Amino acid sequence: MPHTDGTVTITVNGEHKRVTAGLSLADLANLLGLVPEKVAVERNLEVVPRSTLGEVQVEDGDEIEIVHFVGGGDHAVAVDGDDSWEVAGQRFRSRLIVGTGKYKDFAQNAAAVEAAGAEIVTVAVRRVNVSDRNAPMLTDFIDPKKITYLPNTAGCFTAEDAIRTLRLAREAGGWELVKLEVLGEAKTLYPDMVETLRATEVLAKEGFKPMVYCVDDPIAAKRLEDVGAVAIMPLGAPIGSGLGIQNKVTIRLIVEGAKVPVLVDAGVGTASEAAVAMELGCDGVLMNTAIAEAKDPVLMARAMKAGVEAGRMAYRAGRMGMRRYADPSSPLAGLI
């Protein structure tokens, strides 16, 4: 019921607010200094379609979540003919996917994305800062009309949280191609494969196209593919560790057995490790910390681009066989 002064009490992103009764969700967004077209709104755990934000009125006691994408260029040109790759019907030339977290600011992030030649960036879905109307938004620096946003579920520890997050992401931007990760615990950030499989199946049935972060296990990878994963993203090493690819054998087995793209996700620390991932036959590499925490993130982004391209060319070229003994490059016959 409205208060005697004609207001209602609601909760917006965890903060209690009193607003005029009869306010629509679109009016509420405008009141908070937000553009309704750039956010997604959840009212009492139900995602509200953006097309109806002007019609749905807030009521006393409503719990409202308003989210957008936050940080959690030139496109790369194929070096030798058309060496593009495809995921869920979308074709890309760059095989380097860049994250949007840990950078000094959005401007540095945007510069790194351009230097990397990335066509896809991962973005976290987070609450809008309703206390600061002037807080910058990622979309002001990295244009989702030019760079494909890949909403992810970073920080989710249950299938339910991941599914809820991606439902909001679809409402915020209309994207069905998403990155799913469901973590087991905070220390290792290893994926919980039981929850991951469950979330993958639900999301695929709802029309999402999940690219799935997983353990480097070929059996788990096959099960993910069976329940609807459009790409398999095994970790090379723990998230943010920079340890490089710890198990080349299992990554290679996943690549050999998969009918969908395989991308190394997590663990790469420098350009040579990105090249190793590509030499194993992976379709691409996703990284964040390796670029964002470099002393010069933009220069490291260029290095990673070169590493990915070099590794891909080496894979296509086919490396020489390994021998136990020396084999001279010059013929020994006819020596003086």
Side-chain angles (χ1 to χ4, degrees):
M1 293 288 293
H3 301 294
T4 55
D5 62 356
T7 64
V8 293
T9 299
I10 61 175
T11 302
V12 182
N13 290 0
E15 297 183 17
H16 295 293
K17 291 185 177 293
R18 290 181 69 160
V19 298
T20 304
L23 208 64
S24 72
L25 290 174
D27 293 334
L28 175 63
N30 288 320
L31 183 67
L32 296 171
L34 304 171
V35 179
E37 292 76 19
K38 290 187 176 182
V39 298
V41 180
E42 180 188 75
R43 177 173 175 260
N44 302 326
L45 300 180
E46 293 289 335
V47 175
V48 180
R50 185 178 293 155
S51 60
T52 66
L53 292 180
E55 304 166 14
V56 178
Q57 295 184 347
V58 297
E59 298 179 2
D60 192 56
D62 277 352
E63 293 189 5
I64 295 170
E65 295 285 339
I66 305 177
V67 304
H68 64 149
F69 296 118
V70 302
D74 294 335
H75 297 328
V77 178
V79 179
D80 180 19
D82 182 14
D83 188 37
S84 60
W85 67 289
E86 183 176 309
V87 58
Q90 297 186 51
R91 186 161 290 278
F92 301 95
R93 289 174 293 173
S94 172
R95 293 174 180 270
L96 176 57
I97 299 176
V98 176
T100 52
K102 301 185 177 182
Y103 288 91
K104 178 180 67 175
D105 50 38
F106 288 147
Q108 185 186 67
N109 192 173
V113 170
E114 183 174 4
E119 295 173 289
I120 306 174
V121 295
T122 59
V123 292
V125 182
R126 293 292 185 268
R127 287 173 166 177
V128 168
N129 185 349
V130 296
S131 300
D132 184 1
R133 298 185 181 188
N134 298 317
M137 297 181 71
L138 182 66
T139 50
D140 296 330
F141 293 83
I142 300 176
D143 189 350
K145 294 180 181 177
K146 297 178 180 178
I147 302 294
T148 297
Y149 274 29
L150 187 66
N152 71 21
T153 58
C156 290
F157 290 85
T158 67
E160 285 76 16
D161 283 348
I163 293 165
R164 178 187 175 198
T165 296
L166 291 177
R167 286 170 178 164
L168 274 167
R170 180 158 61 182
E171 187 58 35
W175 292 283
E176 294 181 339
L177 183 65
V178 295
K179 184 197 168 191
L180 171 67
E181 59 180 70
V182 185
L183 304 175
E185 46 84 41
K187 182 178 180 179
T188 64
L189 299 182
Y190 257 62
D192 182 327
M193 291 311 300
V194 173
E195 293 291 282
T196 299
L197 279 161
R198 191 156 64 87
T200 301
E201 187 169 15
V202 171
L203 290 167
K205 288 179 178 177
E206 292 187 6
F208 286 94
K209 298 170 182 177
M211 301 173 67
V212 187
Y213 168 67
C214 63
V215 294
D216 55 337
D217 176 353
I219 304 303
K222 184 65 173 67
R223 288 179 178 168
L224 285 170
E225 189 176 338
D226 290 342
V227 298
V230 300
I232 305 299
M233 307 182 75
L235 54 80
I239 291 174
S241 68
L243 290 171
I245 298 174
Q246 295 297 296
N247 199 331
K248 299 177 186 178
V249 173
T250 53
I251 298 291
R252 181 63 188 169
L253 289 173
I254 291 172
V255 169
E256 290 177 355
K259 296 183 176 64
V260 297
V262 176
L263 300 92
V264 163
D265 178 9
V268 168
T270 191
S272 60
E273 294 160 4
V276 168
M278 299 307 297
E279 288 170 1
L280 292 172
C282 291
D283 295 276
V285 183
L286 189 155
M287 64 183 69
N288 188 161
T289 307
I291 296 175
E293 291 192 357
K295 292 181 180 179
D296 186 335
V298 176
L299 184 58
M300 182 60 81
R302 293 195 191 101
M304 291 299 189
K305 175 184 176 183
V308 167
E309 291 176 348
R312 176 62 182 171
M313 284 190 285
Y315 173 74
R316 293 177 64 199
R319 67 159 289 153
M320 62 168 282
M322 301 176 81
R323 305 182 179 95
R324 292 183 63 187
Y325 302 105
D327 183 26
S329 299
S330 302
L332 297 179
L335 286 174
I336 298 174

Short mmCIF file of all heavy atoms in Angstrom, two decimals, residues 244-303:
data_model
loop_
_atom_site.label_atom_id
_atom_site.label_comp_id
_atom_site.label_asym_id
_atom_site.label_seq_id
_atom_site.Cartn_x
_atom_site.Cartn_y
_atom_site.Cartn_z
N GLY A 244 50.34 -21.04 -17.38
CA GLY A 244 50.45 -21.68 -18.69
C GLY A 244 49.69 -22.99 -18.73
O GLY A 244 49.09 -23.41 -17.75
N ILE A 245 49.70 -23.64 -19.88
CA ILE A 245 48.93 -24.88 -20.05
C ILE A 245 49.63 -26.02 -19.33
O ILE A 245 50.75 -26.41 -19.67
CB ILE A 245 48.76 -25.19 -21.55
CG1 ILE A 245 47.96 -24.06 -22.21
CG2 ILE A 245 48.05 -26.52 -21.74
CD1 ILE A 245 47.85 -24.17 -23.69
N GLN A 246 48.96 -26.57 -18.34
CA GLN A 246 49.56 -27.57 -17.47
C GLN A 246 49.40 -29.00 -17.99
O GLN A 246 50.17 -29.87 -17.63
CB GLN A 246 48.95 -27.47 -16.07
CG GLN A 246 49.28 -26.16 -15.37
CD GLN A 246 50.77 -26.00 -15.13
OE1 GLN A 246 51.38 -26.77 -14.39
NE2 GLN A 246 51.37 -25.00 -15.77
N ASN A 247 48.39 -29.23 -18.82
CA ASN A 247 48.19 -30.59 -19.31
C ASN A 247 47.87 -30.56 -20.81
O ASN A 247 46.71 -30.51 -21.21
CB ASN A 247 47.07 -31.29 -18.54
CG ASN A 247 47.14 -32.80 -18.70
OD1 ASN A 247 47.62 -33.31 -19.72
ND2 ASN A 247 46.66 -33.53 -17.71
N LYS A 248 48.91 -30.58 -21.61
CA LYS A 248 48.73 -30.52 -23.06
C LYS A 248 48.03 -31.77 -23.59
O LYS A 248 47.29 -31.71 -24.57
CB LYS A 248 50.09 -30.37 -23.75
CG LYS A 248 50.84 -29.11 -23.37
CD LYS A 248 52.22 -29.09 -24.04
CE LYS A 248 53.05 -27.91 -23.57
NZ LYS A 248 54.40 -27.92 -24.17
N VAL A 249 48.24 -32.89 -22.92
CA VAL A 249 47.68 -34.16 -23.41
C VAL A 249 46.15 -34.11 -23.39
O VAL A 249 45.49 -34.44 -24.38
CB VAL A 249 48.19 -35.34 -22.57
CG1 VAL A 249 47.47 -36.64 -22.97
CG2 VAL A 249 49.70 -35.49 -22.74
N THR A 250 45.57 -33.69 -22.26
CA THR A 250 44.10 -33.69 -22.17
C THR A 250 43.49 -32.62 -23.06
O THR A 250 42.41 -32.83 -23.64
CB THR A 250 43.64 -33.51 -20.72
OG1 THR A 250 44.27 -32.35 -20.17
CG2 THR A 250 43.97 -34.71 -19.88
N ILE A 251 44.16 -31.47 -23.19
CA ILE A 251 43.65 -30.44 -24.10
C ILE A 251 43.60 -30.99 -25.52
O ILE A 251 42.61 -30.83 -26.25
CB ILE A 251 44.52 -29.17 -24.05
CG1 ILE A 251 44.51 -28.54 -22.65
CG2 ILE A 251 44.04 -28.16 -25.09
CD1 ILE A 251 43.22 -27.93 -22.22
N ARG A 252 44.66 -31.69 -25.91
CA ARG A 252 44.71 -32.26 -27.25
C ARG A 252 43.62 -33.32 -27.44
O ARG A 252 42.98 -33.38 -28.49
CB ARG A 252 46.10 -32.86 -27.50
CG ARG A 252 46.28 -33.48 -28.88
CD ARG A 252 46.16 -32.45 -29.97
NE ARG A 252 46.14 -33.07 -31.30
CZ ARG A 252 45.84 -32.44 -32.42
NH1 ARG A 252 45.55 -31.16 -32.38
NH2 ARG A 252 45.85 -33.06 -33.57
N LEU A 253 43.38 -34.13 -26.43
CA LEU A 253 42.31 -35.13 -26.51
C LEU A 253 40.95 -34.48 -26.66
O LEU A 253 40.09 -34.97 -27.40
CB LEU A 253 42.35 -36.02 -25.27
CG LEU A 253 43.51 -37.01 -25.17
CD1 LEU A 253 43.51 -37.69 -23.81
CD2 LEU A 253 43.45 -38.05 -26.29
N ILE A 254 40.74 -33.38 -25.96
CA ILE A 254 39.46 -32.67 -26.09
C ILE A 254 39.30 -32.15 -27.52
O ILE A 254 38.23 -32.28 -28.12
CB ILE A 254 39.37 -31.52 -25.06
CG1 ILE A 254 39.26 -32.08 -23.65
CG2 ILE A 254 38.18 -30.60 -25.37
CD1 ILE A 254 39.37 -31.04 -22.55
N VAL A 255 40.36 -31.55 -28.05
CA VAL A 255 40.32 -31.03 -29.42
C VAL A 255 40.00 -32.14 -30.41
O VAL A 255 39.15 -31.99 -31.31
CB VAL A 255 41.67 -30.37 -29.78
CG1 VAL A 255 41.73 -30.06 -31.28
CG2 VAL A 255 41.87 -29.10 -28.97
N GLU A 256 40.64 -33.29 -30.26
CA GLU A 256 40.44 -34.40 -31.19
C GLU A 256 39.03 -34.97 -31.12
O GLU A 256 38.50 -35.45 -32.12
CB GLU A 256 41.47 -35.49 -30.92
CG GLU A 256 42.89 -35.11 -31.29
CD GLU A 256 43.90 -36.20 -30.93
OE1 GLU A 256 43.50 -37.20 -30.32
OE2 GLU A 256 45.09 -36.03 -31.29
N GLY A 257 38.42 -34.92 -29.94
CA GLY A 257 37.11 -35.53 -29.79
C GLY A 257 35.92 -34.61 -29.98
O GLY A 257 34.78 -35.06 -30.10
N ALA A 258 36.16 -33.30 -30.04
CA ALA A 258 35.06 -32.34 -30.08
C ALA A 258 34.56 -32.08 -31.49
O ALA A 258 35.33 -32.04 -32.45
CB ALA A 258 35.49 -31.03 -29.44
N LYS A 259 33.24 -31.88 -31.61
CA LYS A 259 32.63 -31.47 -32.86
C LYS A 259 32.27 -29.99 -32.84
O LYS A 259 31.68 -29.47 -33.79
CB LYS A 259 31.38 -32.32 -33.14
CG LYS A 259 31.66 -33.79 -33.36
CD LYS A 259 30.37 -34.55 -33.70
CE LYS A 259 30.64 -36.01 -34.02
NZ LYS A 259 31.19 -36.75 -32.85
N VAL A 260 32.57 -29.33 -31.72
CA VAL A 260 32.35 -27.90 -31.58
C VAL A 260 33.70 -27.24 -31.30
O VAL A 260 34.67 -27.92 -30.98
CB VAL A 260 31.36 -27.60 -30.43
CG1 VAL A 260 29.99 -28.20 -30.73
CG2 VAL A 260 31.89 -28.11 -29.09
N PRO A 261 33.79 -25.91 -31.44
CA PRO A 261 35.07 -25.25 -31.17
C PRO A 261 35.58 -25.49 -29.76
O PRO A 261 34.80 -25.62 -28.81
CB PRO A 261 34.74 -23.77 -31.39
CG PRO A 261 33.57 -23.77 -32.31
CD PRO A 261 32.77 -24.97 -31.94
N VAL A 262 36.89 -25.54 -29.64
CA VAL A 262 37.55 -25.68 -28.33
C VAL A 262 38.48 -24.48 -28.14
O VAL A 262 39.29 -24.17 -29.01
CB VAL A 262 38.38 -26.98 -28.25
CG1 VAL A 262 39.14 -27.06 -26.93
CG2 VAL A 262 37.48 -28.19 -28.43
N LEU A 263 38.32 -23.79 -27.02
CA LEU A 263 39.14 -22.63 -26.72
C LEU A 263 39.72 -22.76 -25.32
O LEU A 263 38.99 -23.08 -24.38
CB LEU A 263 38.32 -21.33 -26.79
CG LEU A 263 37.65 -21.01 -28.13
CD1 LEU A 263 36.23 -21.56 -28.17
CD2 LEU A 263 37.63 -19.50 -28.37
N VAL A 264 41.02 -22.55 -25.19
CA VAL A 264 41.62 -22.56 -23.86
C VAL A 264 41.15 -21.32 -23.10
O VAL A 264 41.22 -20.21 -23.61
CB VAL A 264 43.15 -22.60 -23.94
CG1 VAL A 264 43.77 -22.21 -22.60
CG2 VAL A 264 43.62 -24.00 -24.31
N ASP A 265 40.65 -21.54 -21.91
CA ASP A 265 40.12 -20.46 -21.09
C ASP A 265 40.79 -20.53 -19.72
O ASP A 265 40.56 -21.47 -18.97
CB ASP A 265 38.61 -20.61 -20.96
CG ASP A 265 37.98 -19.55 -20.09
OD1 ASP A 265 38.68 -18.59 -19.72
OD2 ASP A 265 36.78 -19.69 -19.78
N ALA A 266 41.61 -19.56 -19.40
CA ALA A 266 42.26 -19.43 -18.09
C ALA A 266 43.63 -20.07 -18.05
O ALA A 266 43.84 -21.17 -18.58
CB ALA A 266 41.41 -20.02 -16.97
N GLY A 267 44.57 -19.37 -17.44
CA GLY A 267 45.89 -19.90 -17.17
C GLY A 267 47.00 -19.37 -18.04
O GLY A 267 48.17 -19.43 -17.66
N VAL A 268 46.67 -18.86 -19.23
CA VAL A 268 47.71 -18.34 -20.12
C VAL A 268 48.30 -17.08 -19.50
O VAL A 268 47.58 -16.19 -19.05
CB VAL A 268 47.12 -18.04 -21.52
CG1 VAL A 268 48.10 -17.23 -22.35
CG2 VAL A 268 46.77 -19.33 -22.22
N GLY A 269 49.65 -16.98 -19.49
CA GLY A 269 50.30 -15.84 -18.87
C GLY A 269 51.08 -14.96 -19.82
O GLY A 269 51.29 -13.79 -19.56
N THR A 270 51.50 -15.54 -20.97
CA THR A 270 52.29 -14.75 -21.91
C THR A 270 52.07 -15.29 -23.32
O THR A 270 51.41 -16.32 -23.52
CB THR A 270 53.78 -14.78 -21.52
OG1 THR A 270 54.48 -13.82 -22.30
CG2 THR A 270 54.39 -16.16 -21.71
N ALA A 271 52.64 -14.60 -24.30
CA ALA A 271 52.34 -14.89 -25.69
C ALA A 271 52.76 -16.29 -26.12
O ALA A 271 52.07 -16.94 -26.92
CB ALA A 271 52.99 -13.84 -26.59
N SER A 272 53.88 -16.78 -25.61
CA SER A 272 54.34 -18.11 -26.01
C SER A 272 53.35 -19.18 -25.57
O SER A 272 53.17 -20.20 -26.24
CB SER A 272 55.72 -18.40 -25.43
OG SER A 272 55.70 -18.34 -24.01
N GLU A 273 52.67 -18.96 -24.44
CA GLU A 273 51.68 -19.92 -23.95
C GLU A 273 50.40 -19.88 -24.79
O GLU A 273 49.74 -20.90 -24.99
CB GLU A 273 51.40 -19.65 -22.48
CG GLU A 273 52.61 -19.94 -21.61
CD GLU A 273 52.57 -19.25 -20.25
OE1 GLU A 273 51.55 -18.59 -19.93
OE2 GLU A 273 53.55 -19.38 -19.50
N ALA A 274 50.08 -18.69 -25.29
CA ALA A 274 48.95 -18.59 -26.23
C ALA A 274 49.27 -19.36 -27.51
O ALA A 274 48.41 -20.04 -28.08
CB ALA A 274 48.66 -17.12 -26.55
N ALA A 275 50.52 -19.25 -27.96
CA ALA A 275 50.94 -19.99 -29.15
C ALA A 275 50.84 -21.49 -28.93
O ALA A 275 50.40 -22.23 -29.83
CB ALA A 275 52.36 -19.60 -29.54
N VAL A 276 51.21 -21.96 -27.75
CA VAL A 276 51.11 -23.39 -27.44
C VAL A 276 49.67 -23.87 -27.56
O VAL A 276 49.40 -24.93 -28.12
CB VAL A 276 51.67 -23.68 -26.03
CG1 VAL A 276 51.31 -25.10 -25.58
CG2 VAL A 276 53.18 -23.49 -26.01
N ALA A 277 48.74 -23.09 -27.02
CA ALA A 277 47.32 -23.47 -27.09
C ALA A 277 46.89 -23.64 -28.54
O ALA A 277 46.19 -24.60 -28.89
CB ALA A 277 46.46 -22.43 -26.39
N MET A 278 47.31 -22.73 -29.38
CA MET A 278 46.92 -22.80 -30.79
C MET A 278 47.62 -23.94 -31.51
O MET A 278 47.05 -24.58 -32.39
CB MET A 278 47.21 -21.47 -31.48
CG MET A 278 46.47 -20.28 -30.89
SD MET A 278 44.67 -20.52 -30.78
CE MET A 278 44.25 -20.68 -32.51
N GLU A 279 48.87 -24.23 -31.13
CA GLU A 279 49.60 -25.34 -31.75
C GLU A 279 48.97 -26.68 -31.41
O GLU A 279 49.13 -27.66 -32.15
CB GLU A 279 51.06 -25.31 -31.29
CG GLU A 279 51.86 -24.17 -31.90
CD GLU A 279 53.23 -24.02 -31.26
OE1 GLU A 279 53.55 -24.81 -30.36
OE2 GLU A 279 53.97 -23.09 -31.66
N LEU A 280 48.22 -26.74 -30.31
CA LEU A 280 47.52 -27.98 -29.94
C LEU A 280 46.26 -28.19 -30.78
O LEU A 280 45.62 -29.23 -30.69
CB LEU A 280 47.14 -27.95 -28.46
CG LEU A 280 48.30 -28.02 -27.46
CD1 LEU A 280 47.80 -27.79 -26.04
CD2 LEU A 280 48.99 -29.38 -27.56
N GLY A 281 45.92 -27.19 -31.58
CA GLY A 281 44.74 -27.31 -32.44
C GLY A 281 43.51 -26.61 -31.91
O GLY A 281 42.42 -26.76 -32.47
N CYS A 282 43.65 -25.86 -30.83
CA CYS A 282 42.50 -25.12 -30.30
C CYS A 282 42.03 -24.08 -31.30
O CYS A 282 42.82 -23.56 -32.10
CB CYS A 282 42.85 -24.44 -28.98
SG CYS A 282 43.13 -25.59 -27.62
N ASP A 283 40.74 -23.77 -31.25
CA ASP A 283 40.17 -22.78 -32.16
C ASP A 283 40.44 -21.36 -31.71
O ASP A 283 40.31 -20.42 -32.50
CB ASP A 283 38.67 -23.01 -32.30
CG ASP A 283 38.36 -24.34 -32.95
OD1 ASP A 283 38.36 -24.41 -34.18
OD2 ASP A 283 38.13 -25.32 -32.22
N GLY A 284 40.77 -21.19 -30.43
CA GLY A 284 41.03 -19.85 -29.93
C GLY A 284 41.47 -19.89 -28.49
O GLY A 284 41.58 -20.95 -27.87
N VAL A 285 41.74 -18.70 -27.96
CA VAL A 285 42.18 -18.55 -26.57
C VAL A 285 41.41 -17.37 -25.96
O VAL A 285 41.24 -16.34 -26.61
CB VAL A 285 43.69 -18.27 -26.48
CG1 VAL A 285 44.12 -18.18 -25.02
CG2 VAL A 285 44.49 -19.34 -27.20
N LEU A 286 40.98 -17.56 -24.72
CA LEU A 286 40.35 -16.47 -23.99
C LEU A 286 41.26 -16.09 -22.83
O LEU A 286 41.76 -16.95 -22.12
CB LEU A 286 38.98 -16.89 -23.45
CG LEU A 286 38.11 -15.78 -22.83
CD1 LEU A 286 36.64 -16.16 -22.91
CD2 LEU A 286 38.47 -15.48 -21.38
N MET A 287 41.48 -14.79 -22.66
CA MET A 287 42.34 -14.36 -21.56
C MET A 287 41.91 -12.99 -21.06
O MET A 287 41.31 -12.20 -21.79
CB MET A 287 43.79 -14.31 -22.01
CG MET A 287 44.09 -13.30 -23.10
SD MET A 287 45.79 -13.36 -23.66
CE MET A 287 45.84 -14.94 -24.50
N ASN A 288 42.22 -12.73 -19.80
CA ASN A 288 41.95 -11.45 -19.19
C ASN A 288 43.17 -10.97 -18.37
O ASN A 288 43.84 -10.01 -18.71
CB ASN A 288 40.71 -11.54 -18.30
CG ASN A 288 40.24 -10.19 -17.77
OD1 ASN A 288 39.11 -10.05 -17.35
ND2 ASN A 288 41.08 -9.17 -17.77
N THR A 289 43.47 -11.70 -17.30
CA THR A 289 44.51 -11.27 -16.37
C THR A 289 45.87 -11.10 -17.05
O THR A 289 46.62 -10.18 -16.73
CB THR A 289 44.64 -12.28 -15.22
OG1 THR A 289 43.35 -12.48 -14.63
CG2 THR A 289 45.58 -11.77 -14.15
N ALA A 290 46.20 -12.00 -17.98
CA ALA A 290 47.51 -11.95 -18.63
C ALA A 290 47.75 -10.62 -19.32
O ALA A 290 48.88 -10.12 -19.38
CB ALA A 290 47.64 -13.09 -19.63
N ILE A 291 46.68 -10.03 -19.85
CA ILE A 291 46.80 -8.71 -20.50
C ILE A 291 46.63 -7.60 -19.47
O ILE A 291 47.45 -6.69 -19.37
CB ILE A 291 45.77 -8.57 -21.63
CG1 ILE A 291 46.07 -9.59 -22.74
CG2 ILE A 291 45.80 -7.15 -22.20
CD1 ILE A 291 45.04 -9.60 -23.87
N ALA A 292 45.55 -7.69 -18.68
CA ALA A 292 45.20 -6.59 -17.78
C ALA A 292 46.25 -6.34 -16.71
O ALA A 292 46.45 -5.19 -16.28
CB ALA A 292 43.85 -6.87 -17.12
N GLU A 293 46.97 -7.39 -16.25
CA GLU A 293 47.95 -7.22 -15.19
C GLU A 293 49.38 -7.12 -15.70
O GLU A 293 50.33 -7.09 -14.91
CB GLU A 293 47.82 -8.35 -14.16
CG GLU A 293 46.54 -8.27 -13.35
CD GLU A 293 46.53 -9.20 -12.15
OE1 GLU A 293 47.49 -9.97 -11.97
OE2 GLU A 293 45.54 -9.16 -11.39
N ALA A 294 49.55 -7.07 -17.02
CA ALA A 294 50.89 -6.83 -17.57
C ALA A 294 51.32 -5.40 -17.24
O ALA A 294 50.48 -4.53 -17.01
CB ALA A 294 50.88 -7.05 -19.08
N LYS A 295 52.62 -5.16 -17.21
CA LYS A 295 53.10 -3.80 -16.94
C LYS A 295 52.62 -2.83 -18.02
O LYS A 295 52.37 -1.66 -17.74
CB LYS A 295 54.63 -3.80 -16.84
CG LYS A 295 55.16 -4.54 -15.62
CD LYS A 295 56.68 -4.50 -15.54
CE LYS A 295 57.18 -5.25 -14.31
NZ LYS A 295 58.67 -5.26 -14.23
N ASP A 296 52.52 -3.32 -19.24
CA ASP A 296 51.99 -2.52 -20.34
C ASP A 296 50.89 -3.35 -21.01
O ASP A 296 51.16 -4.14 -21.92
CB ASP A 296 53.09 -2.19 -21.34
CG ASP A 296 52.62 -1.24 -22.45
OD1 ASP A 296 51.40 -1.21 -22.72
OD2 ASP A 296 53.47 -0.54 -23.03
N PRO A 297 49.64 -3.22 -20.56
CA PRO A 297 48.56 -4.06 -21.07
C PRO A 297 48.36 -3.96 -22.58
O PRO A 297 48.08 -4.96 -23.24
CB PRO A 297 47.33 -3.55 -20.31
CG PRO A 297 47.88 -2.99 -19.05
CD PRO A 297 49.18 -2.35 -19.45
N VAL A 298 48.50 -2.76 -23.13
CA VAL A 298 48.25 -2.60 -24.57
C VAL A 298 49.34 -3.30 -25.37
O VAL A 298 49.05 -3.99 -26.37
CB VAL A 298 48.16 -1.10 -24.93
CG1 VAL A 298 48.02 -0.92 -26.44
CG2 VAL A 298 46.98 -0.45 -24.21
N LEU A 299 50.58 -3.18 -24.94
CA LEU A 299 51.67 -3.88 -25.63
C LEU A 299 51.51 -5.39 -25.49
O LEU A 299 51.74 -6.14 -26.44
CB LEU A 299 53.02 -3.43 -25.07
CG LEU A 299 54.26 -4.00 -25.76
CD1 LEU A 299 54.28 -3.65 -27.24
CD2 LEU A 299 55.52 -3.48 -25.07
N MET A 300 51.11 -5.84 -24.32
CA MET A 300 50.89 -7.28 -24.13
C MET A 300 49.74 -7.78 -25.00
O MET A 300 49.79 -8.90 -25.52
CB MET A 300 50.60 -7.60 -22.66
CG MET A 300 50.41 -9.09 -22.39
SD MET A 300 51.85 -10.12 -22.82
CE MET A 300 52.88 -9.85 -21.37
N ALA A 301 48.73 -6.96 -25.19
CA ALA A 301 47.62 -7.34 -26.07
C ALA A 301 48.12 -7.57 -27.50
O ALA A 301 47.70 -8.52 -28.18
CB ALA A 301 46.54 -6.26 -26.05
N ARG A 302 49.03 -6.71 -27.95
CA ARG A 302 49.62 -6.91 -29.28
C ARG A 302 50.42 -8.20 -29.33
O ARG A 302 50.39 -8.94 -30.32
CB ARG A 302 50.52 -5.72 -29.64
CG ARG A 302 49.80 -4.41 -29.84
CD ARG A 302 50.70 -3.38 -30.54
NE ARG A 302 50.10 -2.06 -30.48
CZ ARG A 302 50.48 -1.10 -29.63
NH1 ARG A 302 51.46 -1.35 -28.78
NH2 ARG A 302 49.89 0.06 -29.64
N ALA A 303 51.16 -8.46 -28.26
CA ALA A 303 51.96 -9.69 -28.19
C ALA A 303 51.07 -10.92 -28.23
O ALA A 303 51.38 -11.91 -28.90
CB ALA A 303 52.82 -9.68 -26.92
#
